Amino acid sequence: LGGLSMKASEGRSGGEGGSAGDDGEERGFAEHDEADPALANAEIDYANLPYLGGSDKIDVNNANIRVYTKLPGMYPSIAGIIAKNGPYQTVEDIYKLPKLSAEQKEIVKKYEKNLVALEPAPEYQEDIFNNGLYR
């Protein structure tokens, strides 16, 4: 991992620093005793996680298609069209989709306040249609 590496010392004595084991044997560590700075900056929690189904707002660019079941009339047809044709700069871009009928656009309009268009995140694009549920 990054700059961390461990190396057990050879033999019963000597080593590159470290701590003594139960039998007095030293176990040394290589000179790299600091973590890689890139690892320290790793994103642990996705800041927009609530928009993937944990709130009343749905991110049209990253949310799984099944999240739309919270909005009656949206799943599966309209949700499928939205998921298939993204990403979107704004929620209003959805109305430009030629595959949406006037009736479907009215349903989207009804829930427009519940939709947001956030920056597409590659790690969530893979699961827009399949959220890991396999038969």
Side-chain angles (χ1 to χ4, degrees):
L1 286 177
L4 290 178
S5 64
M6 292 182 9
K7 176 176 124 181
S9 299
E10 293 182 15
R12 289 203 169 286
S13 63
E16 298 177 9
S19 60
D22 291 340
D23 60 358
E25 178 181 337
E26 283 204 21
R27 290 178 177 83
F29 295 92
E31 292 180 24
H32 303 287
D33 60 352
E34 293 183 23
D36 185 344
L39 293 176
N41 293 328
E43 189 172 342
I44 295 171
D45 290 323
Y46 178 57
N48 296 325
L49 192 61
Y51 302 107
L52 300 180
S55 74
D56 62 338
K57 302 254 186 217
I58 297 173
D59 176 8
V60 296
N61 288 326
N62 296 300
N64 180 272
I65 192 171
R66 292 178 188 263
V67 173
Y68 291 92
T69 60
K70 297 170 121 185
L71 308 176
M74 292 284 285
Y75 181 84
S77 299
I78 299 171
I81 293 169
I82 291 171
K84 192 178 218 178
N85 292 285
Y88 306 96
Q89 294 293 317
T90 66
V91 172
E92 290 77 25
D93 290 345
I94 294 170
Y95 298 108
K96 298 174 189 172
L97 296 174
K99 293 184 179 187
L100 282 180
S101 69
E103 181 181 327
Q104 290 173 320
K105 289 178 183 179
E106 284 301 314
I107 294 171
V108 172
K109 185 75 172 164
K110 176 180 175 182
Y111 296 113
E112 188 175 331
K113 69 182 182 321
N114 299 94
L115 305 175
V116 295
L118 302 175
E119 187 70 28
E123 58 271 27
Y124 291 99
Q125 296 300 301
E126 184 176 325
D127 292 329
I128 283 181
F129 290 103
N130 181 358
N131 62 353
L133 296 176
Y134 301 98
R135 291 179 189 237

